[in-house]
Structures are given as C-alpha cells and as structure tokens.
Amino acid sequence: MTDSNLLSALHSYQEEVKPYHATLVAISKTKPQGMIQEAYQQGQRDFGENKAQEMTDKHEALPKDIKWHMVGHLQTNKVKYIAPFVHLIHSVDSEKLLKEINKQAAKNQRIINVLLQVHIAEEESKFGLSMEEAKVLVKKEKLSEYPNVLVKGLMGMATLTENEDKIRGEFRSLATLYTELRTHLPSMDTLSMGMSGDYKIALEEGSTMIRIGSAIFGARN
Ligand SMILES: *Cc1c(COP(=O)(O)O)cnc(C)c1O
C-alpha cells in the first residue's frame, strides 16, 4: 500500500467516526514504525497493538503523546512491560489478569484504564468473559479490591461472518450489557466494538470506539 493510500484511508475513518463521537484506534500490529509516524503526522494519536513486546518497542521509538491500546490477549507475566505507559487495555478476560494489572499499576504509581473483554461471538476460540462473569466482576465490592484499575467499559468481537443480522445481534447484546452495567459503574464510558469488516454495524449499534487495522494499514501477513 502506498503512503497516499494509507493517509486517505485514515482520513476517511477519522471523518467517519465524528458524527458518532467515537474514537478511532488505528491497529498497527505487525506494521512498521514508519507507517505509524505517517499516521501520527496526520493527527492520529490512538494506536493499538496485540503484543506487549512490540508495543513496548514502538512506545520507546515513537512520540510520547501516542496513546497505546492493548487489544490482544495479555498474559499476566507481560503486564509489567506495558504498565508504565499503556493508555487502555481492551482485553481483560479474567480476574487474575485484573489483579496483576492492579499490582503493576500500583508499582508504577498510576491507575490503568481497562475494558472487560466479553465473548459475544459464536467461535469457541475467541477469548473473553461470559456476560455473567462480566456482571459479577463489575459488582462494586469486587472492583474495590483493585484501586489502581479503572474499568472504563467493554470490548467485544463479533463472529467472522457475512451474516449482518448475526453481527448486529451480537453487537446489540453487548451494547445492552454495557447500558446495564453503566448504571452500576459510572466510570464506564467506552464500548469498544467494530473492526475493518464490521465497524459500520458497530457504530449503528452504539460503539464509542472502533479498532481498524487492515483497512488503514493494508493486509497483514
Ligand atoms: C487485529 C485486531 C483488530 C483489527 O482488525 P482489522 O480486521 O485488521 O481491522 C481489531 N481488534 C482486535 C482485538 C484485533 O486483534
């Protein structure tokens, strides 16, 4: 993909989220730092990665006002590498991970923002809490054990399918859960759903944050 393709794709997504007051996270995993620099020069500040090591390397090399989003499954032993700087962890899928994030956040004397990843897709392989598990975690008494973590909302991925009704139904069920949980937890203001193939449906169903990778940076190997 040429530079002008990257910039025009990025620009169209930056414009497309505006009427929804949603945030565009450019998913730069596997992509070189030069591409991130170009997007940065066009005003993009939110970037997403799925590996702790890659995110740490890019953080060190690139401008310090970039907001780094962790969107991939995060092993507890990797939390310490990103804890000093990560902006938002989208992929909290266990209480064990929440506990470790709290510990590392405290060590760094900061509060780390997180989303609970909820399993909404049909596929077995995708990580995430069940809706019931997310409800249990959001109960106030549970979260007060983790004062250095702030739960900002939910993240989910729909089934990879051509069936738009199915995708819409999955996003809608996540949005319904989000609305319900917000009444218990006013810090929640983020519903992260929608990727290159399904972001339009996600925005229509109430997404406040879309995660676009290949449609901006080109296909990954
Ligand atoms: C890779 C990834 C994306 C971006 O996917 P595209 O289809 O390339 O837009 C979004 N969310 C998560 C969790 C990812 O791992």
Side-chain angles (χ1 to χ4, degrees), residues 84-140:
F85 67 88
V86 69
H87 174 68
L88 179 64
I89 299 175
H90 292 229
S91 46
V92 171
D93 57 4
S94 69
E95 189 171 352
K96 184 178 161 221
L97 180 58
L98 199 65
K99 188 175 180 177
E100 178 64 14
I101 295 168
N102 183 67
K103 182 178 154 191
Q104 297 299 334
K107 269 194 188 168
N108 286 278
Q109 293 173 294
R110 62 184 298 238
I111 290 172
I112 296 182
N113 295 324
V114 306
L115 305 178
L116 302 179
Q117 181 175 352
V118 179
H119 182 102
I120 53 172
E122 189 177 76
E123 291 109 345
E124 287 290 328
S125 61
K126 293 200 173 152
F127 292 103
L129 301 161
S130 68
M131 295 217 171
E132 208 45 53
E133 288 168 326
K135 285 183 196 176
V136 170
L137 265 184
V138 163
K139 282 188 188 162
K140 229 185 173 163

Side-chain angles (χ1 to χ4, degrees), residues 25-29 48-50 70-73 90-91 117 155-157 160 192 194-198 210-216 218-220:
V25 182
I27 305 296
S28 49
K29 62 189 184 197
E49 293 285 335
N50 68 342
M70 172 51 70
V71 301
H73 178 65
H90 292 229
S91 46
Q117 181 175 352
M155 186 273 263
M157 276 183 278
L160 197 62
S192 169
M195 319 192 347
S196 294
D198 56 19
I210 60 171
R211 310 178 308 271
I212 307 292
S214 49
I216 293 173
R220 291 175 297 273

Side-chain angles (χ1 to χ4, degrees), residues 33-99:
Q33 292 169 5
M35 278 188 162
I36 300 175
Q37 277 283 10
E38 282 183 57
Y40 179 88
Q41 276 153 19
Q42 193 166 288
Q44 183 63 28
R45 290 294 178 272
D46 292 90
F47 291 91
E49 293 285 335
N50 68 342
K51 293 205 166 67
Q53 184 63 56
E54 188 176 345
M55 181 190 273
T56 304
D57 292 345
K58 286 173 173 172
H59 163 74
E60 275 169 20
L62 290 163
K64 292 298 170 284
D65 60 340
I66 287 180
K67 297 173 183 171
W68 290 104
H69 297 247
M70 172 51 70
V71 301
H73 178 65
L74 184 58
Q75 289 171 286
T76 49
N77 63 352
K78 301 285 170 64
V79 175
K80 59 179 176 286
Y81 301 116
I82 63 169
F85 67 88
V86 69
H87 174 68
L88 179 64
I89 299 175
H90 292 229
S91 46
V92 171
D93 57 4
S94 69
E95 189 171 352
K96 184 178 161 221
L97 180 58
L98 199 65
K99 188 175 180 177

